[in-house]
Amino acid sequence: MECFCELVPHLSEGLCLTVNFLVNKVAIFGMVVLIAISISHLWLNQERIIKIQIEGQGTAQVGDVVCLTGNVEFHPSVKYLRWQKYHNGYFVDININKSKYQGSTKNLQNPKLVINDGDQDDEADYRLEVQLAKSTQYSNVRNVKILSSALLETPTIQIYPDEPDGKYYVGEDVTIKANIRNPLGVLCVTWQKETEAGTHTINTALPKYKETSNASDEHQLLIRDCNDSDQGGYFLLAACNYDQEDARSNKIYLNIVKGPPIVTLSQVSETVYEKPVEFKAAIRIFPKQCDVNWLRGSQQIDINQPKYAGSTVVGASPVLWINEVNKDDEGDYSIEVINKEWEPIRISKKLVVNTEKPTVSLKISEESDSMNFGNTITLKAEITASPPPSSIQWIRINKKGKNEEIKNKSGKFLIKNLNENCQTLRIENLDFSDNGKYKITVTNAVGEAQNALDIKVGGQMIFIAGPTVVAPAEIIKFRTEYHISESFSNPMWLKIKHFQAKEIVFDGTKYSVYNTASTSSIKNQKFVIADAEKEGDTAAYQLALDNMRSNKLNIFVDNCGEYSTEKEGNCLRFFALQTVSTKAMRIAFDKMQPAQFKDKIKEFKRYCKSHLTQTNRGSSADLDISIMYTIIRNVCQVQPPKNGWGKQPNDNDTDISDDIERIRHKRNLICHENALNMETSNFNKSALDLIRAIRRLTLEDVQIIEDVCDVLNKVFTKGEIMEEMIQELRVFQKNARKWEELCQSEELQDEAQSTNRDIELENMENMGFHFKHDRGIIIGDYSTLATNRWGIEKRICFMNRPMKQEEEVHIRGGLENEHWSCIHIGLTNVDPATIPNEEDKKKAIRCKLQPYNICNYEGHGLCFEPFHLCISLCKNATLLIHTIGTKREYLSFPKVSPNDPVWLVIELFERGVIWITPS
């Protein structure tokens, strides 16, 4: 028992050891199993580089089917693959579902790409993209070429040497170039040389040929430092694609010689005055050692001088530079080549320096505005000169004949060089001071040229009126008037100082503008500057209305006593405007009928028996306003003013006679002034009213408008000249009042004569048709009705008594034939009663009948309606015909004497009828 007890501890220890051993074994085995499972898992999931390869045909003809096949190594992580094509710098996916790629597959191990009906667009690089679980891998790239039928033609080769004759001096370099047609059909080329010993391939790797090029786009054989051994025949041999036979070029022969020099000389650059000229020589010689000299005439040139800087005398291509050539450099230039084995050789060239005097054309550029007041124009000068111009000068010759040099001036002139052959002059904000002849003078080393252009600023403008001299702290008042029909979106008043225009901002305190009451056609606006300042407000002022500009008014704020006062200046300027208005009336007077001045005076003397007509006058220049007014009123064929002669016209009355009357009243305004002062408000309104009349009568004559602008800007300096003008004004006032009184007495006489004529007409027989007329005319209804009832001829009839001056005859009629649109009317001194019945009445009256249109025009056709003519006899055998409601027209009969009785003659048309009515 004790033994057993002693053994138990030993047994337990051994058992424990055994159990521990077994447990360790099991643990080791488990670890091995786990490692094995992990290794297996890692092997299954590892993404290594797999093998991806595509193969297939690399070339095909247009229209063929191209097939590429892929081989992808198996790997469990491969998910899918794509075929890709290189396009515009990127590989892009191919949609194999398209008909173009019908037959293609995406098999994970053996994909296939089929390209149907191959064309040039299919020529590209192709590859496979394989997508694994965690990465993307690619195959090799396969290039596909699609060849047209032309590429399958056998290549042809042409070779040629750089020296056309194949002749070279020993020591020169030889270049043979090849031109291959259809180079894509060539696999490789070799240069061949043919000698008496046979043909052999040239080893282009040798130093002698090391610069030979056999690139696909350039094939050339370069032979350095040639010698006798290089003599022989050469050709190019090409191995071709697509089982074609080798292509062979033409054969050329090189002739390597030793002989006298060959020298050529050429002028490389064009001869331009004051520019360099280059002469270049080419020397071929053996041995190469030689001396080179440049000569002018027989004198050797020192190429170290600055004149010839850049010249060389070494090498096979010496150069002669002649810098800044001029006429003195003309002559023969030579190159001399000296070699110890040969006679010297000299080659010459003549240098001619072409020069010409400048020429210049001058015109208004197409981009310019119209030549109207306030616009901007550009003068464009086209210049040719060799050498180039040394100076270009612009000059303006003003109306006084004075030359004024033009330079860049901000806001007015801008001279700009577009290029060496073109220069422009920009003239901004045109006004009448810019009128004149603009001349450009172009000068170069050879001579000079000139051209000129007359600038005449147009008168389409708006006028402003105001004072010229204002005392400090006073109010400066401007006024403008323009037609309502002239609608402007952005009117601006401008202040101009030092040629810089600045828009005036109205603040209601310093600067204010008022739109005053307007008539139905005239809009008035006043601009006021309060508390005038000598420095700040002395400037030019102008009104800008969209693209239109007004005249400029120069305002001087000064009270130094050297100038006229504001009111004196207004009066003297308004007096100066009378000279312009007289010119305007004279222009209108000369255009009135009778056309000849002598006829006007003759009729005037017949009308007026007073001493108004006693002075001899040769032209309208000898008449003042009073005489012209009287002649226009009583002799000329002009419609009376709307308000009648002698009465003030309304603002909306703008006929010629209205403006004649307006000028007379404005003249009387200053004639009846006793003082030499005129309020600015009165001056502004009267001056603008007078200016509008002047412009209408002269049809915007530019010279007249320029005269108006000059008058508005006149400043009168106290002294002898101003006193003389005041005396002229007083004489003018005195004489004008005298002539006005005479004219008024004539008008009273004329009114009395008119009253007597009215009484005489009342006692005369009523106007009707004469019993003497052409056959075919039927007179009826108590001699008041005349009818041409049969036949197709025109027939005439007469009034039953002579007409009296200013007597009105009312003729009514109707048209039965729409082909007649006018009636013929005349005057005669022949009494119809004295004309024999059998005589031709039209010849007997000794007067040419004149047509008068009696139809109204509506749309594109004639509207034939009954007509009503009011016919009156003027003083000079002229008929005034008024078609009721439409127009007035004068018919003159110069062969008819107004001093003798005159009968009215009317020619009737086919089936026409007329009748005389009281009114």
Side-chain angles (χ1 to χ4, degrees):
M1 190 65 178
E2 292 178 358
C3 292
F4 178 76
C5 293
E6 292 176 359
L7 288 172
V8 168
H10 296 287
L11 288 174
S12 299
E13 183 180 354
L15 181 61
C16 290
L17 290 173
T18 301
V19 172
N20 288 335
F21 174 78
L22 292 176
V23 170
N24 289 334
K25 290 293 185 180
V26 171
I28 292 171
F29 177 76
M31 291 178 63
V32 171
V33 171
L34 289 173
I35 292 172
I37 293 173
S38 298
I39 292 173
S40 174
H41 180 75
L42 289 174
W43 181 84
L44 290 174
N45 290 281
Q46 183 182 13
E47 289 191 355
R48 59 186 178 83
I49 298 176
I50 62 174
K51 183 179 181 181
I52 310 170
Q53 187 73 24
I54 59 172
E55 297 177 347
Q57 61 194 104
T59 58
Q61 296 187 36
V62 173
D64 287 351
V65 176
V66 179
C67 185
L68 301 179
T69 58
N71 185 7
V72 181
E73 180 184 355
F74 171 77
H75 193 277
S77 63
V78 174
K79 291 187 174 182
Y80 60 87
L81 53 80
R82 298 188 187 94
W83 285 100
Q84 293 184 330
K85 174 183 177 181
Y86 192 77
H87 180 70
N88 290 339
Y90 302 94
F91 276 98
V92 296
D93 294 343
I94 297 174
N95 183 1
I96 65 173
N97 295 321
K98 291 184 177 181
S99 58
K100 179 73 176 179
Y101 305 104
Q102 185 177 0
S104 301
T105 66
K106 292 185 179 179
N107 187 283
L108 293 181
Q109 287 186 279
N110 300 108
K112 180 168 66 174
L113 178 65
V114 178
I115 306 172
N116 299 292
D117 192 20
D119 56 31
Q120 294 297 320
D121 290 338
D122 298 319
E123 188 171 288
D125 291 334
Y126 293 84
R127 74 180 184 184
L128 268 175
E129 180 187 80
V130 179
Q131 184 66 50
L132 283 73
K134 295 183 179 180
S135 63
T136 302
Q137 298 187 23
Y138 300 96
S139 70
N140 60 310
V141 175
R142 184 65 171 171
N143 180 262
V144 174
K145 289 187 177 294
I146 305 298
L147 305 177
S148 65
S149 57
L151 294 176
L152 299 177
E153 296 177 1
T154 302
T156 57
I157 309 172
Q158 184 75 22
I159 65 171
Y160 49 91
D162 54 344
E163 292 294 338
D165 59 359
K167 180 179 179 181
Y168 292 88
Y169 280 80
V170 172
E172 290 184 327
D173 294 336
V174 179
T175 300
I176 304 174
K177 292 187 176 182
N179 183 10
I180 302 178
R181 185 174 177 271
N182 192 13
L184 293 178
V186 175
L187 286 174
C188 62
V189 299
T190 56
W191 287 96
Q192 307 288 318
K193 180 179 178 183
E194 188 179 77
T195 62
E196 294 180 355
T199 301
H200 67 273
T201 300
I202 298 175
N203 183 4
T204 56
L206 296 175
K208 189 177 187 67
Y209 311 103
K210 65 179 180 179
E211 295 184 30
T212 295
S213 172
N214 283 324
S216 58
D217 58 342
E218 182 182 38
H219 296 279
Q220 68 176 18
L221 176 65
L222 183 62
I223 308 173
R224 287 292 186 190
D225 195 20
C226 69
N227 53 44
D228 294 340
S229 64
D230 296 314
Q231 189 158 301
Y234 292 80
F235 63 92
L236 185 65
L237 189 64
C240 300
N241 286 314
Y242 319 119
D243 300 328
Q244 297 182 25
E245 295 182 356
D246 291 348
R248 177 170 173 164
S249 74
N250 60 307
K251 185 187 300 182
I252 63 169
Y253 291 89
L254 299 185
N255 183 21
I256 312 301
V257 300
K258 299 178 182 179
I262 298 177
V263 181
T264 58
L265 181 62
S266 61
Q267 181 177 332
V268 177
S269 57
E270 181 183 2
T271 304
V272 179
Y273 200 90
E274 295 182 346
K275 299 290 183 181
V277 171
E278 179 187 12
F279 287 101
K280 189 173 183 178
I283 303 173
R284 302 179 66 193
I285 190 172
F286 182 82
K288 291 184 178 181
Q289 292 77 21
C290 62
D291 295 326
V292 176
N293 297 314
W294 289 103
L295 301 97
R296 180 181 180 185
S298 59
Q299 298 295 318
Q300 184 174 340
I301 295 173
D302 181 2
I303 64 174
N304 294 316
Q305 294 181 6
K307 181 73 174 179
Y308 306 101
S311 301
T312 62
V313 291
V314 295
S317 302
V319 173
L320 174 65
W321 277 95
I322 307 174
N323 297 293
E324 297 180 356
V325 294
N326 53 48
K327 272 292 186 182
D328 295 337
D329 296 318
E330 287 189 333
D332 292 324
Y333 289 82
S334 306
I335 184 170
E336 183 181 50
V337 180
I338 302 172
N339 183 280
K340 61 183 180 181
E341 295 188 9
W342 310 101
E343 290 292 328
I345 188 169
R346 182 181 296 182
I347 303 295
S348 299
K349 281 282 184 182
K350 180 178 288 293
L351 176 64
V352 177
V353 180
N354 295 319
T355 59
E356 58 179 338
K357 291 183 178 180
T359 61
V360 56
S361 64
L362 189 61
K363 64 179 183 179
I364 304 291
S365 73
E366 297 176 355
E367 298 79 14
S368 295
D369 299 332
S370 60
M371 210 180 300
N372 284 333
F373 198 97
N375 286 347
T376 296
I377 63 171
T378 300
L379 309 187
K380 186 176 182 181
E382 299 283 353
I383 301 168
T384 59
S386 180
S390 56
S391 70
I392 300 176
Q393 184 184 41
W394 291 89
I395 291 175
R396 183 174 76 93
I397 305 173
N398 62 24
K399 60 184 179 181
K400 296 181 180 179
K402 183 180 178 181
N403 289 349
E404 302 171 347
E405 185 176 358
I406 298 173
K407 296 182 179 181
N408 282 332
K409 184 182 293 183
S410 177
K412 192 60 185 177
F413 298 116
L414 176 62
I415 299 172
K416 187 176 181 181
N417 290 314
L418 298 184
N419 53 57
E420 63 179 9
N421 297 320
C422 184
Q423 191 175 92
T424 60
L425 169 63
R426 179 183 173 93
I427 309 174
E428 299 180 354
N429 197 11
L430 285 173
D431 58 41
F432 294 112
S433 65
D434 296 319
N435 282 343
K437 179 174 287 187
Y438 286 75
K439 182 171 70 174
I440 183 173
T441 302
V442 181
T443 305
N444 70 357
V446 183
E448 71 174 28
Q450 296 178 342
N451 208 331
L453 198 63
D454 284 319
I455 298 299
K456 198 170 185 180
V457 178
Q460 294 185 1
M461 56 183 289
I462 292 174
F463 270 90
I464 61 173
T468 52
V469 178
V470 178
E474 294 294 329
I475 298 175
I476 305 175
K477 301 175 183 178
F478 298 92
R479 182 186 178 101
T480 184
E481 297 178 353
Y482 53 86
H483 284 284
I484 301 260
S485 58
E486 297 170 339
S487 58
F488 302 101
S489 61
N490 187 25
M492 293 186 299
W493 286 89
L494 305 175
K495 177 189 286 188
I496 305 170
K497 299 190 75 168
H498 309 297
F499 295 98
Q500 294 293 327
K502 183 178 180 181
E503 181 182 357
I504 295 173
V505 179
F506 304 113
D507 54 11
T509 303
K510 176 68 176 178
Y511 303 108
S512 303
V513 65
Y514 306 96
N515 292 312
T516 61
S518 302
T519 67
S520 59
S521 63
I522 302 296
K523 184 173 182 179
N524 305 317
Q525 187 179 83
K526 294 180 180 178
F527 167 46
V528 175
I529 304 176
D531 194 18
E533 300 173 5
K534 184 172 183 178
E535 294 298 327
D537 295 323
T538 297
Y541 293 85
Q542 186 178 39
L543 176 63
L545 295 172
D546 291 343
N547 294 326
M548 191 173 288
R549 297 288 188 274
S550 73
N551 58 305
K552 294 177 184 176
L553 273 183
N554 297 313
I555 306 296
F556 296 90
V557 180
D558 199 300
N559 61 349
C560 63
E562 294 182 6
Y563 306 108
S564 63
T565 65
E566 179 177 347
K567 294 179 181 180
E568 287 175 341
N570 293 337
C571 185
L572 293 175
R573 284 187 297 147
F574 197 74
F575 169 52
L577 272 179
Q578 305 311 307
T579 302
V580 184
S581 65
T582 302
K583 292 180 183 178
M585 185 181 285
R586 187 171 291 119
I587 290 173
F589 176 84
D590 290 338
K591 295 178 181 179
M592 293 178 181
Q593 295 295 331
Q596 298 297 321
F597 177 76
K598 62 180 182 179
D599 294 333
K600 291 185 177 77
I601 294 298
K602 182 179 178 181
E603 291 298 323
F604 178 51
K605 288 181 178 181
R606 183 179 301 154
Y607 159 76
C608 178
K609 303 301 182 182
S610 70
H611 60 278
L612 281 172
T613 62
Q614 293 175 4
T615 304
N616 291 326
R617 298 176 175 89
S619 69
S620 61
D622 300 322
L623 306 179
D624 80 337
I625 286 181
S626 295
I627 302 298
M628 282 191 290
Y629 172 84
T630 305
I631 295 175
I632 291 171
R633 175 173 174 173
N634 296 283
V635 175
C636 296
Q637 301 167 11
V638 61
Q639 187 68 22
K642 291 184 176 63
N643 286 346
W645 292 109
K647 297 180 181 179
Q648 175 71 37
N650 298 327
D651 288 342
N652 296 332
D653 298 338
T654 56
D655 288 344
I656 292 178
S657 56
D658 295 315
D659 285 332
I660 297 295
E661 193 64 59
R662 185 172 281 109
I663 287 177
R664 180 193 179 190
H665 275 78
K666 297 304 177 187
R667 171 182 173 274
N668 291 345
L669 178 66
I670 196 171
C671 288
H672 300 154
E673 290 282 348
N674 294 321
L676 296 176
N677 293 300
M678 193 173 190
E679 292 288 343
T680 297
S681 297
N682 188 18
F683 170 81
N684 289 348
K685 186 178 186 310
S686 299
L688 291 175
D689 194 19
L690 181 60
I691 290 168
R692 285 200 307 275
I694 291 171
R695 294 173 68 183
R696 286 191 293 265
L697 288 176
T698 61
L699 301 178
E700 302 284 359
D701 182 272
V702 172
Q703 185 58 54
I704 293 293
I705 293 178
E706 183 176 357
D707 292 344
V708 170
C709 292
D710 289 343
V711 169
L712 291 178
N713 273 311
K714 277 184 178 296
V715 175
F716 302 95
T717 304
K718 289 184 177 181
E720 183 178 349
I721 296 177
M722 181 175 166
E723 289 301 322
E724 288 179 358
M725 190 167 185
I726 293 174
Q727 289 301 319
E728 289 177 8
L729 172 58
R730 287 173 174 159
V731 171
F732 174 83
Q733 291 170 334
K734 179 179 178 180
N735 290 337
R737 283 194 291 268
K738 173 185 174 183
W739 285 110
E740 191 68 23
E741 291 171 359
L742 288 172
C743 289
Q744 286 178 359
S745 65
E746 292 291 338
E747 290 168 8
L748 292 174
Q749 295 178 21
D750 184 47
E751 289 178 3
Q753 293 175 5
S754 297
T755 303
N756 293 333
R757 279 196 299 271
D758 293 340
I759 297 173
E760 182 182 358
L761 286 173
E762 288 178 1
N763 297 326
M764 290 185 67
E765 178 185 3
N766 290 333
M767 183 68 76
F769 292 106
H770 204 282
F771 66 86
K772 190 66 68 75
H773 48 73
D774 273 337
R775 294 183 61 191
I777 295 291
I778 299 175
I779 304 298
D781 199 9
Y782 301 100
S783 298
T784 61
L785 181 70
T787 308
N788 184 9
R789 301 300 286 175
W790 56 275
I792 60 174
E793 296 182 1
K794 303 176 183 177
R795 295 174 172 83
I796 64 174
C797 57
F798 305 91
M799 298 298 104
N800 60 348
R801 63 169 175 80
M803 292 185 70
K804 294 297 182 180
Q805 288 188 3
E806 298 188 8
E807 179 184 6
E808 292 184 350
V809 179
H810 290 266
I811 303 293
R812 297 177 184 269
L815 292 170
E816 297 186 22
N817 188 333
E818 65 179 17
H819 297 292
W820 298 104
S821 61
C822 64
I823 188 171
H824 288 76
I825 301 174
L827 288 177
T828 180
N829 295 124
V830 178
D831 186 348
T834 64
I835 302 175
N837 290 332
E838 65 277 4
E839 187 174 351
D840 187 330
K841 308 296 186 298
K842 197 169 185 177
K843 292 182 179 179
I845 62 176
R846 298 190 294 275
C847 171
K848 184 177 180 181
L849 300 178
Q850 297 190 35
Y852 181 79
N853 191 354
I854 57 176
C855 286
N856 298 321
Y857 289 88
E858 296 181 358
H860 299 284
L862 291 173
C863 177
F864 297 94
E865 299 176 350
F867 59 85
H868 180 185
L869 305 180
C870 177
I871 305 174
S872 60
L873 179 64
C874 300
K875 299 176 182 178
N876 51 353
T878 299
L879 291 177
L880 170 60
I881 304 178
H882 179 197
T883 303
I884 301 301
T886 56
K887 63 177 182 177
R888 301 171 189 267
E889 186 174 333
Y890 289 93
L891 299 181
S892 181
F893 302 91
K895 294 185 178 180
V896 176
S897 171
N899 298 323
D900 299 320
V902 292
W903 277 263
L904 179 65
V905 185
I906 298 179
E907 184 176 50
L908 289 177
F909 34 75
E910 177 189 4
R911 299 186 64 81
V913 57
I914 58 175
W915 61 92
I916 299 175
T917 63
S919 61

